[in-house]
Amino acid sequence: MSVTRHPDSAWLIDYACGNLSRGFELVISAHLMACAVCTEEVRRAEQLGAELLFGGQPAAPKLTAVDVLDAEGGDLSWLTARFALRPAVGTTSLQAFVDSYLDCGLSALPWRKAGRGLQVAKLRADEHERLWVLRAAPNTVLPRHTHAGSELTLVLKGAYFNGDTIYAAGDLEDANETTDHQPIVTRDAECICLAATEGPLRFASWAPRLVQRYLGI
Amino acid sequence: MLHKLMTKPHDPTAHEPTADDAGTDGAAIVPFPVDAGRTEENDSAAHETQLLVRVRDQRDRNAYQALFGLFAGKVQGYLRRTGIDPADAENILQDIMLAVWQKANLFDPQRASARTWIFSLARNRLIDIKRSLKREYAALERYSLETADDQVYEEDMLARAAGGKSVALLAHLPPEQASVLLMAYVEGKSHREIALELKLPIGTVKSRARLGFQRVRALLEQAK
């Protein structure tokens, strides 16, 4: 898989700092599964973190190495689902990664129709963000829309065009309130994307707005 | 505070090796092969990584103790600067240092140095805590200082947070870029939160972060 479309490195810095909300973090994590370039950028951002945050005045903990070595067991559940356990780039398929996050196959998601050729399944919604999976049939023209905030879209399967740019599996489209776009799925295969958005999408025509209100996207 | 930090004259001693780098806390330090072409900074990073590899491959308790001596104080300092109270910080430190011992098998020196790996463990633990508190933690005044034990952190917190080598690293940047990086790394604010706080467009904050990061990247590469 050759990934050519990457997020702004500001996203990777926020990821390395642990400042992203879950949905955006998931989309970035999934892109990293497929992208050696961004993985290396994250490593550098973490390296900067280590230099900045370990470089200050050290504290004097009471805890000793022996306390830790003698401790029986210990709860490391906080570690298991995290990206410290991230597999190396290219060792896990995007599909497998997302399935393991969802803990089910894509077919088991609560899909809803969202216009001709398009289905969406909302995975998360809170005051900060929404996360969903979009599934579009070949040749589907998605409603033209702008955004109230940031939107990261990762292609899991298939491909779509936005203007002259093609986004294929592993590619990440980094859009925000200044982006006005109309994705068109390529004609050979269906396209499945994972998307995180900060605010509701703003569709340019009235018909999708009704769908939007109905679906809450 | 950020402004004060940024206008501080560059400290020419910042690159000098410190007691931390040498690990002179009485813990057993294991010798490692000397490579004449390397700098002090590279050597200490390589040494840390070598210790962690010995923990991973040989379950070497002496190597672990040496690593603990090098990192426990730094990790604890990091936790305290994020606003965690001293008692909690000890428990969290234990979680992190336990993970270093028990999960060393996950360490791959091809992918990160020991200090970067330990930083990412600490960061992951903090994310978990933040989330389990449902961002109440984020709403707390991170630098509210009440107990006497906090006095040491009271003055010029960010300068301390980004003390020594780090100030030298950021001293190469225009102040507005350094500020954004410090807010992201030290205060744990997302670029969106920084944009709201500084009343700047999100694009401006992102480009400051990106440009600042690109500049320090070259310096980081030298210290890889």
Side-chain angles (χ1 to χ4, degrees):
Chain A
M1 195 186 314
S2 152
V3 175
T4 58
R5 303 289 159 189
H6 310 282
D8 187 322
S9 51
W11 283 110
L12 303 176
I13 296 168
D14 258 355
Y15 176 87
C17 291
N19 296 342
L20 294 179
S21 52
R22 283 173 201 260
F24 283 88
E25 182 184 281
L26 176 74
V27 175
I28 296 286
S29 298
H31 175 68
L32 294 175
M33 295 280 96
C35 182
V37 174
C38 289
T39 297
E40 176 61 10
E41 194 80 340
V42 166
R43 187 196 63 73
R44 288 199 197 94
E46 287 173 342
Q47 193 188 350
L48 175 60
E51 297 300 334
L52 282 180
L53 292 155
F54 290 166
Q57 179 170 312
K62 297 185 191 80
L63 186 75
T64 68
V66 175
D67 295 337
V68 176
L69 290 170
D70 290 349
E72 293 281 322
D75 178 17
L76 294 176
S77 59
W78 55 274
L79 195 59
T80 51
R82 290 274 175 265
F83 31 114
L85 307 187
R86 206 164 63 205
V89 176
T91 57
T92 304
S93 75
L94 278 176
Q95 187 83 51
F97 176 75
V98 175
D99 284 356
S100 74
Y101 172 84
L102 299 175
D103 206 19
C104 71
L106 285 175
S107 58
L109 290 175
W111 292 104
R112 302 173 78 166
K113 278 195 185 300
R116 191 188 299 169
L118 177 66
Q119 290 179 291
V120 299
K122 202 192 309 183
L123 303 180
R124 276 181 69 76
D126 62 24
E127 68 270 40
H128 302 294
E129 61 166 7
R130 286 139 205 251
L131 175 70
W132 64 73
V133 189
L134 302 144
R135 180 177 211 167
N139 272 328
T140 301
V141 178
L142 274 76
R144 184 159 166 242
H145 63 278
T146 55
H147 311 89
S150 301
E151 177 184 284
L152 294 183
T153 306
L154 178 78
V155 181
L156 299 177
K157 186 183 167 195
Y160 68 84
F161 281 99
N162 189 21
D164 293 336
T165 308
I166 188 165
Y167 294 88
D171 283 336
L172 191 147
E173 183 178 6
D174 184 349
N176 59 39
E177 45 269 66
T178 65
T179 318
D180 177 0
H181 68 175
Q182 181 161 44
I184 301 173
V185 177
T186 56
R187 69 177 133 185
D188 47 326
E190 72 167 351
C191 180
I192 299 178
C193 297
L194 181 68
T197 62
E198 269 182 331
L201 301 184
R202 290 186 197 131
F203 291 110
S205 70
W206 62 269
R209 269 210 195 126
L210 290 179
V211 175
Q212 186 180 14
R213 190 178 306 162
Y214 172 65
L215 291 173
I217 60 174
Chain B
M1 232 190 298
L2 288 167
H3 181 69
K4 189 173 168 190
L5 169 65
M6 286 310 125
T7 53
K8 236 167 108 168
H10 174 66
D11 177 8
T13 64
H15 285 300
E16 294 296 318
T18 64
D20 284 343
D21 295 320
T24 54
D25 59 347
I29 298 298
V30 181
F32 58 95
V34 175
D35 178 343
R38 295 183 149 213
T39 64
E40 298 271 354
E41 184 53 36
N42 280 351
D43 276 351
S44 70
H47 175 56
E48 293 158 5
T49 296
Q50 212 162 40
L51 288 172
L52 186 50
V53 167
R54 282 176 42 193
V55 169
R56 182 190 70 179
D57 295 345
Q58 293 147 41
R59 309 304 292 147
D60 183 333
R61 292 169 69 99
N62 288 332
Y64 179 78
Q65 291 193 10
L67 207 54
F68 189 98
L70 290 169
F71 282 100
K74 291 180 182 182
V75 173
Q76 176 101 326
Y78 165 36
L79 296 174
R80 295 290 310 283
R81 283 186 287 274
T82 65
I84 291 171
D85 77 58
D88 289 341
E90 285 276 338
N91 290 330
I92 297 165
L93 174 68
Q94 177 155 15
D95 290 344
I96 294 163
M97 297 312 293
L98 185 68
V100 172
W101 174 245
Q102 291 194 355
K103 297 291 179 181
N105 61 308
L106 298 170
F107 174 63
D108 177 358
Q110 300 300 313
R111 291 167 71 186
S113 66
R115 63 175 79 165
T116 299
W117 188 74
I118 293 170
F119 168 74
S120 73
L121 283 180
R123 186 263 333 268
N124 290 352
R125 186 73 188 100
L126 285 178
I127 293 172
D128 197 62
I129 290 165
K130 268 196 206 181
R131 288 186 180 157
S132 64
L133 296 177
K134 296 189 173 168
R135 294 191 75 84
E136 274 173 42
Y137 167 81
L140 290 175
E141 177 48 62
R142 285 155 204 261
Y143 301 129
S144 64
L145 305 160
E146 287 163 11
T147 66
D149 195 30
D150 279 320
Q151 291 300 321
V152 65
Y153 294 103
E154 191 155 14
E155 206 190 345
D156 216 352
M157 174 88 58
L158 285 175
R160 286 176 189 279
K165 291 170 288 195
S166 323
V167 167
L169 207 56
L170 295 182
H172 298 271
L173 300 181
E176 68 276 10
Q177 291 174 11
S179 298
V180 166
L181 288 178
L182 283 174
M183 289 174 85
Y185 278 97
V186 183
E187 299 185 29
K189 289 177 176 147
S190 69
H191 293 126
R192 180 66 69 185
E193 289 168 321
I194 295 170
L196 288 171
E197 188 173 322
L198 299 181
K199 298 188 172 60
L200 289 169
I202 181 80
T204 305
V205 172
K206 286 189 181 211
S207 61
R208 286 181 184 179
R210 183 175 57 243
L211 292 171
F213 181 61
Q214 280 166 1
R215 282 200 204 187
V216 293
R217 231 168 61 173
L219 299 168
L220 290 171
E221 279 310 294
Q222 290 163 18
K224 187 175 177 179

